[in-house]
Amino acid sequence: RWRGQLREVIVEDREVGPVPLSSLDDVVREHIRRVRRACGGNVDSPTGAAVVLKVNPSTLRSRMKKLGIR
């Protein structure tokens, strides 16, 4: 298992300029947070984040716990 230190990587986006790259966990964490906000904080209602993300509500809760999302 690699445990080296990541260096910050910057990519150039023609529309927004330099953009630092994030880890996959950071990207997933932010995406889940945005979807939850858009769903009024709901996870398993008929219009909740689990439906939007097309995952089982218990799977989403587990992923949120792993990523430290409350």
Side-chain angles (χ1 to χ4, degrees):
R1 199 170 184 184
W2 184 74
R3 294 196 183 256
Q5 205 169 23
L6 293 176
R7 290 180 286 167
E8 185 174 357
V9 178
I10 306 286
V11 294
E12 186 75 26
D13 184 307
R14 292 180 187 166
E15 295 179 16
V16 295
V19 178
L21 294 180
S22 300
S23 72
L24 182 57
D25 281 349
D26 289 341
V27 172
V28 171
R29 183 181 297 111
E30 185 56 31
H31 185 62
I32 291 172
R33 285 179 176 154
R34 286 182 182 162
V35 171
R36 282 193 63 214
R37 274 195 301 271
C39 296
N42 295 319
V43 171
D44 63 356
S45 72
T47 58
V51 173
V52 172
L53 295 169
K54 297 180 182 174
V55 297
N56 186 294
S58 64
T59 302
L60 180 55
R61 284 192 186 91
S62 295
R63 181 68 52 92
M64 289 169 56
K65 183 177 180 179
K66 175 187 175 242
L67 296 171
I69 301 170
R70 295 178 182 236

Short mmCIF file of all heavy atoms in Angstrom, two decimals:
data_model
loop_
_atom_site.label_atom_id
_atom_site.label_comp_id
_atom_site.label_asym_id
_atom_site.label_seq_id
_atom_site.Cartn_x
_atom_site.Cartn_y
_atom_site.Cartn_z
N ARG A 1 0.85 -1.18 0.00
CA ARG A 1 0.00 0.00 0.00
C ARG A 1 0.89 1.24 0.00
O ARG A 1 1.77 1.38 0.83
CB ARG A 1 -0.87 -0.05 1.24
CG ARG A 1 -2.05 0.82 1.14
CD ARG A 1 -2.96 0.53 2.29
NE ARG A 1 -4.13 1.33 2.12
CZ ARG A 1 -5.12 1.40 2.94
NH1 ARG A 1 -5.09 0.67 4.02
NH2 ARG A 1 -6.13 2.15 2.71
N TRP A 2 0.63 2.15 -0.91
CA TRP A 2 1.44 3.35 -1.03
C TRP A 2 1.05 4.36 0.03
O TRP A 2 -0.12 4.67 0.21
CB TRP A 2 1.28 3.97 -2.42
CG TRP A 2 2.16 5.14 -2.64
CD1 TRP A 2 3.48 5.11 -2.87
CD2 TRP A 2 1.78 6.52 -2.65
NE1 TRP A 2 3.97 6.37 -3.03
CE2 TRP A 2 2.94 7.27 -2.90
CE3 TRP A 2 0.59 7.20 -2.48
CZ2 TRP A 2 2.94 8.64 -2.98
CZ3 TRP A 2 0.60 8.57 -2.57
CH2 TRP A 2 1.77 9.26 -2.81
N ARG A 3 2.02 4.87 0.76
CA ARG A 3 1.72 5.84 1.82
C ARG A 3 2.57 7.09 1.66
O ARG A 3 2.84 7.80 2.61
CB ARG A 3 1.97 5.23 3.19
CG ARG A 3 0.99 4.11 3.48
CD ARG A 3 0.98 3.79 4.94
NE ARG A 3 0.08 2.68 5.17
CZ ARG A 3 -1.12 2.82 5.69
NH1 ARG A 3 -1.57 3.98 6.05
NH2 ARG A 3 -1.88 1.77 5.88
N GLY A 4 3.00 7.34 0.44
CA GLY A 4 3.80 8.54 0.18
C GLY A 4 2.95 9.79 0.31
O GLY A 4 1.73 9.72 0.39
N GLN A 5 3.59 10.90 0.32
CA GLN A 5 2.88 12.15 0.45
C GLN A 5 2.50 12.67 -0.93
O GLN A 5 3.31 12.65 -1.85
CB GLN A 5 3.76 13.17 1.16
CG GLN A 5 2.99 14.23 1.86
CD GLN A 5 3.90 15.04 2.77
OE1 GLN A 5 5.09 15.10 2.56
NE2 GLN A 5 3.32 15.67 3.75
N LEU A 6 1.27 13.08 -1.09
CA LEU A 6 0.83 13.62 -2.36
C LEU A 6 1.27 15.07 -2.51
O LEU A 6 1.17 15.85 -1.58
CB LEU A 6 -0.70 13.57 -2.47
CG LEU A 6 -1.33 12.19 -2.53
CD1 LEU A 6 -2.84 12.32 -2.55
CD2 LEU A 6 -0.86 11.45 -3.76
N ARG A 7 1.75 15.37 -3.67
CA ARG A 7 2.06 16.76 -3.96
C ARG A 7 0.83 17.37 -4.60
O ARG A 7 0.08 16.69 -5.29
CB ARG A 7 3.23 16.85 -4.94
CG ARG A 7 4.54 16.44 -4.30
CD ARG A 7 5.65 16.56 -5.27
NE ARG A 7 5.52 15.44 -6.21
CZ ARG A 7 6.16 15.34 -7.35
NH1 ARG A 7 6.97 16.29 -7.75
NH2 ARG A 7 6.00 14.29 -8.13
N GLU A 8 0.62 18.63 -4.39
CA GLU A 8 -0.53 19.29 -5.01
C GLU A 8 -0.31 19.34 -6.51
O GLU A 8 0.76 19.70 -6.99
CB GLU A 8 -0.70 20.70 -4.46
CG GLU A 8 -1.94 21.37 -4.99
CD GLU A 8 -2.20 22.71 -4.35
OE1 GLU A 8 -1.45 23.11 -3.46
OE2 GLU A 8 -3.15 23.35 -4.77
N VAL A 9 -1.32 18.95 -7.24
CA VAL A 9 -1.25 18.95 -8.69
C VAL A 9 -2.23 19.99 -9.19
O VAL A 9 -3.38 20.04 -8.76
CB VAL A 9 -1.62 17.56 -9.27
CG1 VAL A 9 -1.60 17.58 -10.78
CG2 VAL A 9 -0.68 16.50 -8.72
N ILE A 10 -1.77 20.82 -10.08
CA ILE A 10 -2.61 21.88 -10.64
C ILE A 10 -2.80 21.60 -12.13
O ILE A 10 -1.84 21.30 -12.83
CB ILE A 10 -1.96 23.28 -10.48
CG1 ILE A 10 -1.60 23.55 -9.03
CG2 ILE A 10 -2.84 24.36 -11.06
CD1 ILE A 10 -2.75 23.85 -8.13
N VAL A 11 -4.02 21.67 -12.59
CA VAL A 11 -4.29 21.56 -14.02
C VAL A 11 -4.87 22.87 -14.49
O VAL A 11 -5.47 23.62 -13.73
CB VAL A 11 -5.25 20.39 -14.35
CG1 VAL A 11 -4.62 19.07 -14.03
CG2 VAL A 11 -6.57 20.54 -13.65
N GLU A 12 -4.72 23.15 -15.74
CA GLU A 12 -5.24 24.39 -16.32
C GLU A 12 -6.56 24.08 -17.01
O GLU A 12 -6.64 23.21 -17.86
CB GLU A 12 -4.24 24.94 -17.33
CG GLU A 12 -4.60 26.30 -17.88
CD GLU A 12 -4.38 27.44 -16.89
OE1 GLU A 12 -3.52 27.29 -16.00
OE2 GLU A 12 -5.07 28.45 -16.99
N ASP A 13 -7.60 24.76 -16.60
CA ASP A 13 -8.91 24.64 -17.23
C ASP A 13 -9.12 25.91 -18.04
O ASP A 13 -9.04 27.01 -17.51
CB ASP A 13 -9.99 24.49 -16.17
CG ASP A 13 -11.37 24.26 -16.77
OD1 ASP A 13 -11.79 25.06 -17.63
OD2 ASP A 13 -12.03 23.28 -16.37
N ARG A 14 -9.38 25.78 -19.30
CA ARG A 14 -9.49 26.95 -20.19
C ARG A 14 -10.56 27.93 -19.74
O ARG A 14 -10.45 29.12 -19.97
CB ARG A 14 -9.78 26.50 -21.61
CG ARG A 14 -8.63 25.79 -22.23
CD ARG A 14 -8.95 25.35 -23.62
NE ARG A 14 -7.87 24.53 -24.13
CZ ARG A 14 -7.94 23.78 -25.19
NH1 ARG A 14 -9.05 23.74 -25.88
NH2 ARG A 14 -6.92 23.06 -25.57
N GLU A 15 -11.62 27.43 -19.09
CA GLU A 15 -12.72 28.30 -18.70
C GLU A 15 -12.53 28.95 -17.34
O GLU A 15 -12.99 30.05 -17.12
CB GLU A 15 -14.03 27.53 -18.72
CG GLU A 15 -14.40 27.08 -20.12
CD GLU A 15 -15.70 26.30 -20.15
OE1 GLU A 15 -16.45 26.34 -19.16
OE2 GLU A 15 -15.95 25.64 -21.17
N VAL A 16 -11.86 28.26 -16.39
CA VAL A 16 -11.75 28.81 -15.03
C VAL A 16 -10.33 29.05 -14.57
O VAL A 16 -10.12 29.55 -13.48
CB VAL A 16 -12.48 27.90 -14.00
CG1 VAL A 16 -13.96 27.86 -14.25
CG2 VAL A 16 -11.89 26.51 -13.99
N GLY A 17 -9.33 28.68 -15.37
CA GLY A 17 -7.95 28.89 -14.98
C GLY A 17 -7.40 27.71 -14.22
O GLY A 17 -7.91 26.60 -14.31
N PRO A 18 -6.33 27.91 -13.42
CA PRO A 18 -5.70 26.80 -12.69
C PRO A 18 -6.64 26.18 -11.66
O PRO A 18 -7.31 26.90 -10.92
CB PRO A 18 -4.51 27.45 -11.99
CG PRO A 18 -4.32 28.76 -12.64
CD PRO A 18 -5.63 29.16 -13.23
N VAL A 19 -6.71 24.87 -11.64
CA VAL A 19 -7.60 24.15 -10.73
C VAL A 19 -6.80 23.04 -10.05
O VAL A 19 -6.23 22.20 -10.72
CB VAL A 19 -8.79 23.51 -11.50
CG1 VAL A 19 -9.68 22.72 -10.57
CG2 VAL A 19 -9.57 24.56 -12.26
N PRO A 20 -6.74 23.04 -8.69
CA PRO A 20 -6.04 21.96 -8.01
C PRO A 20 -6.84 20.66 -8.12
O PRO A 20 -8.07 20.68 -8.03
CB PRO A 20 -5.94 22.42 -6.56
CG PRO A 20 -7.00 23.44 -6.41
CD PRO A 20 -7.25 24.04 -7.77
N LEU A 21 -6.16 19.56 -8.33
CA LEU A 21 -6.85 18.27 -8.39
C LEU A 21 -7.08 17.77 -6.97
O LEU A 21 -6.29 18.01 -6.08
CB LEU A 21 -6.00 17.26 -9.16
CG LEU A 21 -5.80 17.56 -10.63
CD1 LEU A 21 -4.93 16.49 -11.27
CD2 LEU A 21 -7.12 17.66 -11.35
N SER A 22 -8.20 17.07 -6.78
CA SER A 22 -8.57 16.54 -5.47
C SER A 22 -8.51 15.03 -5.49
O SER A 22 -8.57 14.41 -6.54
CB SER A 22 -10.00 16.98 -5.12
OG SER A 22 -10.11 18.37 -5.10
N SER A 23 -8.48 14.45 -4.30
CA SER A 23 -8.54 12.98 -4.21
C SER A 23 -9.96 12.53 -4.56
O SER A 23 -10.91 13.32 -4.51
CB SER A 23 -8.19 12.52 -2.79
OG SER A 23 -9.25 12.83 -1.91
N LEU A 24 -10.10 11.27 -4.93
CA LEU A 24 -11.42 10.73 -5.26
C LEU A 24 -12.36 10.86 -4.07
O LEU A 24 -13.53 11.23 -4.23
CB LEU A 24 -11.29 9.28 -5.71
CG LEU A 24 -12.59 8.61 -6.13
CD1 LEU A 24 -13.27 9.39 -7.25
CD2 LEU A 24 -12.31 7.19 -6.56
N ASP A 25 -11.87 10.57 -2.85
CA ASP A 25 -12.72 10.71 -1.66
C ASP A 25 -13.21 12.14 -1.50
O ASP A 25 -14.37 12.37 -1.15
CB ASP A 25 -11.99 10.26 -0.40
CG ASP A 25 -11.95 8.75 -0.23
OD1 ASP A 25 -12.66 8.03 -0.98
OD2 ASP A 25 -11.22 8.28 0.65
N ASP A 26 -12.34 13.12 -1.75
CA ASP A 26 -12.75 14.52 -1.63
C ASP A 26 -13.83 14.87 -2.65
O ASP A 26 -14.79 15.58 -2.34
CB ASP A 26 -11.56 15.47 -1.82
CG ASP A 26 -10.59 15.43 -0.66
OD1 ASP A 26 -10.97 14.96 0.44
OD2 ASP A 26 -9.43 15.86 -0.85
N VAL A 27 -13.68 14.38 -3.87
CA VAL A 27 -14.66 14.65 -4.92
C VAL A 27 -16.00 14.01 -4.58
O VAL A 27 -17.05 14.64 -4.68
CB VAL A 27 -14.13 14.16 -6.29
CG1 VAL A 27 -15.21 14.25 -7.36
CG2 VAL A 27 -12.90 14.94 -6.70
N VAL A 28 -15.97 12.75 -4.14
CA VAL A 28 -17.20 12.04 -3.78
C VAL A 28 -17.87 12.71 -2.59
O VAL A 28 -19.09 12.92 -2.57
CB VAL A 28 -16.92 10.55 -3.48
CG1 VAL A 28 -18.13 9.85 -2.90
CG2 VAL A 28 -16.44 9.84 -4.75
N ARG A 29 -17.07 13.09 -1.58
CA ARG A 29 -17.60 13.77 -0.39
C ARG A 29 -18.35 15.05 -0.78
O ARG A 29 -19.48 15.28 -0.35
CB ARG A 29 -16.46 14.09 0.57
CG ARG A 29 -16.88 14.73 1.88
CD ARG A 29 -15.68 15.03 2.77
NE ARG A 29 -14.97 13.81 3.16
CZ ARG A 29 -13.74 13.47 2.74
NH1 ARG A 29 -13.06 14.26 1.94
NH2 ARG A 29 -13.19 12.34 3.14
N GLU A 30 -17.73 15.86 -1.61
CA GLU A 30 -18.35 17.12 -2.02
C GLU A 30 -19.60 16.87 -2.86
O GLU A 30 -20.59 17.57 -2.72
CB GLU A 30 -17.35 17.99 -2.77
CG GLU A 30 -17.88 19.37 -3.11
CD GLU A 30 -18.37 20.17 -1.89
OE1 GLU A 30 -17.83 19.99 -0.78
OE2 GLU A 30 -19.32 20.96 -2.06
N HIS A 31 -19.56 15.87 -3.72
CA HIS A 31 -20.72 15.57 -4.56
C HIS A 31 -21.91 15.13 -3.70
O HIS A 31 -23.03 15.61 -3.89
CB HIS A 31 -20.37 14.49 -5.58
CG HIS A 31 -21.47 14.21 -6.54
ND1 HIS A 31 -21.96 15.16 -7.41
CD2 HIS A 31 -22.20 13.09 -6.77
CE1 HIS A 31 -22.94 14.64 -8.12
NE2 HIS A 31 -23.11 13.38 -7.75
N ILE A 32 -21.66 14.26 -2.73
CA ILE A 32 -22.73 13.82 -1.84
C ILE A 32 -23.29 15.01 -1.07
O ILE A 32 -24.51 15.16 -0.94
CB ILE A 32 -22.24 12.72 -0.88
CG1 ILE A 32 -21.96 11.43 -1.65
CG2 ILE A 32 -23.25 12.47 0.25
CD1 ILE A 32 -21.28 10.34 -0.83
N ARG A 33 -22.43 15.88 -0.58
CA ARG A 33 -22.91 17.06 0.15
C ARG A 33 -23.78 17.94 -0.73
O ARG A 33 -24.83 18.43 -0.29
CB ARG A 33 -21.72 17.87 0.68
CG ARG A 33 -21.06 17.23 1.87
CD ARG A 33 -19.89 18.05 2.35
NE ARG A 33 -19.32 17.49 3.56
CZ ARG A 33 -18.08 17.65 3.93
NH1 ARG A 33 -17.24 18.37 3.19
NH2 ARG A 33 -17.64 17.10 5.03
N ARG A 34 -23.36 18.17 -1.97
CA ARG A 34 -24.16 19.01 -2.88
C ARG A 34 -25.52 18.38 -3.18
O ARG A 34 -26.54 19.07 -3.19
CB ARG A 34 -23.40 19.23 -4.19
CG ARG A 34 -22.27 20.19 -4.06
CD ARG A 34 -21.59 20.40 -5.38
NE ARG A 34 -20.46 21.30 -5.21
CZ ARG A 34 -19.49 21.40 -6.07
NH1 ARG A 34 -19.48 20.69 -7.18
NH2 ARG A 34 -18.50 22.24 -5.85
N VAL A 35 -25.52 17.08 -3.42
CA VAL A 35 -26.79 16.40 -3.71
C VAL A 35 -27.70 16.45 -2.50
O VAL A 35 -28.90 16.74 -2.63
CB VAL A 35 -26.54 14.95 -4.18
CG1 VAL A 35 -27.85 14.17 -4.27
CG2 VAL A 35 -25.82 14.94 -5.52
N ARG A 36 -27.16 16.22 -1.31
CA ARG A 36 -27.99 16.30 -0.09
C ARG A 36 -28.57 17.69 0.10
O ARG A 36 -29.74 17.84 0.46
CB ARG A 36 -27.19 15.90 1.15
CG ARG A 36 -27.06 14.39 1.26
CD ARG A 36 -26.56 13.95 2.59
NE ARG A 36 -27.49 14.33 3.65
CZ ARG A 36 -27.11 14.68 4.87
NH1 ARG A 36 -25.84 14.72 5.19
NH2 ARG A 36 -28.00 14.98 5.78
N ARG A 37 -27.75 18.72 -0.11
CA ARG A 37 -28.27 20.10 0.01
C ARG A 37 -29.41 20.32 -0.99
O ARG A 37 -30.44 20.89 -0.64
CB ARG A 37 -27.16 21.12 -0.25
CG ARG A 37 -26.34 21.45 0.97
CD ARG A 37 -25.50 22.70 0.77
NE ARG A 37 -24.57 22.60 -0.34
CZ ARG A 37 -23.33 22.13 -0.27
NH1 ARG A 37 -22.85 21.70 0.89
NH2 ARG A 37 -22.56 22.10 -1.32
N ALA A 38 -29.23 19.85 -2.22
CA ALA A 38 -30.26 20.01 -3.24
C ALA A 38 -31.54 19.25 -2.89
O ALA A 38 -32.62 19.63 -3.32
CB ALA A 38 -29.73 19.55 -4.60
N CYS A 39 -31.40 18.19 -2.09
CA CYS A 39 -32.55 17.37 -1.68
C CYS A 39 -33.06 17.76 -0.30
O CYS A 39 -33.78 17.00 0.34
CB CYS A 39 -32.15 15.89 -1.68
SG CYS A 39 -31.74 15.28 -3.32
N GLY A 40 -32.67 18.92 0.18
CA GLY A 40 -33.13 19.39 1.48
C GLY A 40 -32.60 18.57 2.64
O GLY A 40 -33.24 18.52 3.69
N GLY A 41 -31.48 17.91 2.45
CA GLY A 41 -30.88 17.11 3.52
C GLY A 41 -31.40 15.69 3.61
O GLY A 41 -30.91 14.90 4.41
N ASN A 42 -32.39 15.36 2.82
CA ASN A 42 -32.98 14.02 2.87
C ASN A 42 -32.08 12.99 2.21
O ASN A 42 -31.48 13.25 1.17
CB ASN A 42 -34.34 14.01 2.15
CG ASN A 42 -35.36 14.87 2.84
OD1 ASN A 42 -35.44 14.87 4.06
ND2 ASN A 42 -36.13 15.61 2.06
N VAL A 43 -32.06 11.81 2.82
CA VAL A 43 -31.28 10.71 2.25
C VAL A 43 -32.21 9.71 1.57
O VAL A 43 -32.00 9.34 0.42
CB VAL A 43 -30.44 10.00 3.33
CG1 VAL A 43 -29.81 8.72 2.80
CG2 VAL A 43 -29.36 10.94 3.85
N ASP A 44 -33.27 9.27 2.27
CA ASP A 44 -34.07 8.17 1.71
C ASP A 44 -35.54 8.48 1.46
O ASP A 44 -36.34 7.57 1.32
CB ASP A 44 -33.93 6.93 2.59
CG ASP A 44 -34.46 7.13 3.99
OD1 ASP A 44 -34.88 8.24 4.32
OD2 ASP A 44 -34.45 6.15 4.76
N SER A 45 -35.89 9.72 1.33
CA SER A 45 -37.26 10.04 0.94
C SER A 45 -37.40 9.79 -0.57
O SER A 45 -36.39 9.57 -1.25
CB SER A 45 -37.58 11.50 1.27
OG SER A 45 -36.88 12.37 0.39
N PRO A 46 -38.62 9.83 -1.09
CA PRO A 46 -38.79 9.61 -2.54
C PRO A 46 -38.03 10.63 -3.40
O PRO A 46 -37.75 10.37 -4.57
CB PRO A 46 -40.30 9.75 -2.75
CG PRO A 46 -40.88 9.39 -1.43
CD PRO A 46 -39.90 9.90 -0.40
N THR A 47 -37.70 11.76 -2.82
CA THR A 47 -36.92 12.77 -3.56
C THR A 47 -35.56 12.99 -2.89
O THR A 47 -34.94 14.03 -3.05
CB THR A 47 -37.68 14.11 -3.61
OG1 THR A 47 -37.96 14.55 -2.28
CG2 THR A 47 -38.97 13.98 -4.41
N GLY A 48 -35.10 11.99 -2.16
CA GLY A 48 -33.86 12.10 -1.41
C GLY A 48 -32.61 11.83 -2.23
O GLY A 48 -32.66 11.42 -3.40
N ALA A 49 -31.48 12.04 -1.58
CA ALA A 49 -30.18 11.91 -2.24
C ALA A 49 -29.92 10.50 -2.76
O ALA A 49 -29.32 10.33 -3.82
CB ALA A 49 -29.08 12.32 -1.26
N ALA A 50 -30.37 9.47 -2.04
CA ALA A 50 -30.14 8.09 -2.50
C ALA A 50 -30.82 7.85 -3.84
O ALA A 50 -30.26 7.19 -4.72
CB ALA A 50 -30.63 7.09 -1.46
N VAL A 51 -32.01 8.40 -4.02
CA VAL A 51 -32.72 8.24 -5.29
C VAL A 51 -31.96 8.97 -6.40
O VAL A 51 -31.74 8.43 -7.48
CB VAL A 51 -34.17 8.77 -5.17
CG1 VAL A 51 -34.86 8.79 -6.52
CG2 VAL A 51 -34.96 7.94 -4.17
N VAL A 52 -31.55 10.19 -6.12
CA VAL A 52 -30.82 10.98 -7.12
C VAL A 52 -29.52 10.29 -7.50
O VAL A 52 -29.14 10.22 -8.68
CB VAL A 52 -30.55 12.41 -6.60
CG1 VAL A 52 -29.64 13.18 -7.53
CG2 VAL A 52 -31.87 13.16 -6.39
N LEU A 53 -28.82 9.76 -6.50
CA LEU A 53 -27.52 9.12 -6.74
C LEU A 53 -27.66 7.67 -7.21
O LEU A 53 -26.66 7.02 -7.54
CB LEU A 53 -26.67 9.17 -5.47
CG LEU A 53 -26.26 10.57 -5.04
CD1 LEU A 53 -25.65 10.54 -3.64
CD2 LEU A 53 -25.29 11.18 -6.04
N LYS A 54 -28.89 7.16 -7.20
CA LYS A 54 -29.20 5.80 -7.65
C LYS A 54 -28.43 4.75 -6.84
O LYS A 54 -27.83 3.83 -7.39
CB LYS A 54 -28.92 5.64 -9.14
CG LYS A 54 -29.81 6.53 -9.99
CD LYS A 54 -29.53 6.38 -11.45
CE LYS A 54 -30.43 7.34 -12.21
NZ LYS A 54 -30.13 7.38 -13.62
N VAL A 55 -28.47 4.92 -5.51
CA VAL A 55 -27.87 3.94 -4.60
C VAL A 55 -28.86 3.63 -3.49
O VAL A 55 -29.77 4.41 -3.21
CB VAL A 55 -26.54 4.44 -3.97
CG1 VAL A 55 -25.48 4.67 -5.03
CG2 VAL A 55 -26.75 5.68 -3.14
N ASN A 56 -28.68 2.49 -2.86
CA ASN A 56 -29.50 2.11 -1.73
C ASN A 56 -29.23 3.10 -0.59
O ASN A 56 -28.08 3.47 -0.36
CB ASN A 56 -29.12 0.69 -1.31
CG ASN A 56 -30.01 0.15 -0.24
OD1 ASN A 56 -30.02 0.66 0.88
ND2 ASN A 56 -30.75 -0.89 -0.57
N PRO A 57 -30.27 3.54 0.14
CA PRO A 57 -30.05 4.48 1.25
C PRO A 57 -29.04 3.99 2.28
O PRO A 57 -28.23 4.79 2.78
CB PRO A 57 -31.44 4.63 1.88
CG PRO A 57 -32.38 4.34 0.77
CD PRO A 57 -31.70 3.28 -0.07
N SER A 58 -29.03 2.69 2.58
CA SER A 58 -28.05 2.20 3.56
C SER A 58 -26.64 2.27 2.99
O SER A 58 -25.68 2.53 3.73
CB SER A 58 -28.38 0.77 4.01
OG SER A 58 -28.29 -0.13 2.93
N THR A 59 -26.49 2.08 1.69
CA THR A 59 -25.18 2.22 1.05
C THR A 59 -24.71 3.67 1.13
O THR A 59 -23.55 3.93 1.45
CB THR A 59 -25.25 1.77 -0.42
OG1 THR A 59 -25.69 0.42 -0.48
CG2 THR A 59 -23.91 1.93 -1.12
N LEU A 60 -25.62 4.59 0.88
CA LEU A 60 -25.27 6.01 0.96
C LEU A 60 -24.90 6.39 2.38
O LEU A 60 -23.89 7.08 2.60
CB LEU A 60 -26.42 6.88 0.46
CG LEU A 60 -26.19 8.38 0.49
CD1 LEU A 60 -24.92 8.77 -0.27
CD2 LEU A 60 -27.40 9.13 -0.05
N ARG A 61 -25.66 5.93 3.36
CA ARG A 61 -25.31 6.23 4.76
C ARG A 61 -23.94 5.67 5.14
O ARG A 61 -23.16 6.32 5.83
CB ARG A 61 -26.38 5.68 5.70
CG ARG A 61 -27.63 6.51 5.72
CD ARG A 61 -28.54 6.09 6.87
NE ARG A 61 -29.78 6.81 6.78
CZ ARG A 61 -30.86 6.36 6.13
NH1 ARG A 61 -30.83 5.19 5.53
NH2 ARG A 61 -31.96 7.06 6.09
N SER A 62 -23.64 4.46 4.69
CA SER A 62 -22.32 3.86 4.96
C SER A 62 -21.22 4.68 4.33
O SER A 62 -20.17 4.92 4.94
CB SER A 62 -22.26 2.43 4.42
OG SER A 62 -23.15 1.60 5.10
N ARG A 63 -21.42 5.11 3.09
CA ARG A 63 -20.41 5.92 2.40
C ARG A 63 -20.24 7.26 3.11
O ARG A 63 -19.13 7.74 3.29
CB ARG A 63 -20.85 6.14 0.95
CG ARG A 63 -19.90 6.94 0.10
CD ARG A 63 -18.58 6.24 -0.19
NE ARG A 63 -18.74 4.93 -0.71
CZ ARG A 63 -18.80 4.61 -2.01
NH1 ARG A 63 -18.71 5.53 -2.91
NH2 ARG A 63 -18.94 3.35 -2.38
N MET A 64 -21.35 7.84 3.56
CA MET A 64 -21.27 9.12 4.29
C MET A 64 -20.49 8.94 5.58
O MET A 64 -19.66 9.79 5.92
CB MET A 64 -22.69 9.64 4.56
CG MET A 64 -23.40 10.12 3.31
SD MET A 64 -25.17 10.44 3.56
CE MET A 64 -25.12 11.62 4.90
N LYS A 65 -20.73 7.86 6.30
CA LYS A 65 -20.00 7.60 7.54
C LYS A 65 -18.52 7.45 7.26
O LYS A 65 -17.68 8.03 7.95
CB LYS A 65 -20.55 6.34 8.21
CG LYS A 65 -19.90 6.04 9.54
CD LYS A 65 -20.54 4.82 10.19
CE LYS A 65 -19.86 4.55 11.52
NZ LYS A 65 -20.46 3.39 12.20
N LYS A 66 -18.17 6.69 6.22
CA LYS A 66 -16.77 6.47 5.85
C LYS A 66 -16.08 7.80 5.52
O LYS A 66 -14.92 8.02 5.87
CB LYS A 66 -16.69 5.54 4.65
CG LYS A 66 -15.28 5.36 4.12
CD LYS A 66 -15.29 4.57 2.83
CE LYS A 66 -13.89 4.53 2.27
NZ LYS A 66 -13.76 5.15 0.99
N LEU A 67 -16.82 8.69 4.85
CA LEU A 67 -16.26 9.97 4.42
C LEU A 67 -16.39 11.07 5.46
O LEU A 67 -15.96 12.20 5.24
CB LEU A 67 -16.93 10.41 3.10
CG LEU A 67 -16.69 9.49 1.91
CD1 LEU A 67 -17.57 9.91 0.74
CD2 LEU A 67 -15.22 9.49 1.52
N GLY A 68 -17.01 10.76 6.60
CA GLY A 68 -17.13 11.76 7.66
C GLY A 68 -18.18 12.81 7.41
O GLY A 68 -18.09 13.92 7.90
N ILE A 69 -19.22 12.44 6.65
CA ILE A 69 -20.32 13.38 6.36
C ILE A 69 -21.41 13.16 7.38
O ILE A 69 -21.87 12.03 7.58
CB ILE A 69 -20.88 13.14 4.94
CG1 ILE A 69 -19.79 13.31 3.90
CG2 ILE A 69 -22.05 14.08 4.67
CD1 ILE A 69 -20.20 12.88 2.51
N ARG A 70 -21.85 14.23 8.04
CA ARG A 70 -22.91 14.12 9.03
C ARG A 70 -24.19 14.67 8.48
O ARG A 70 -24.25 15.50 7.67
CB ARG A 70 -22.54 14.88 10.29
CG ARG A 70 -21.36 14.25 10.95
CD ARG A 70 -20.97 15.04 12.18
NE ARG A 70 -19.79 14.43 12.76
CZ ARG A 70 -19.71 14.02 13.99
NH1 ARG A 70 -20.70 14.19 14.80
NH2 ARG A 70 -18.62 13.47 14.43
#
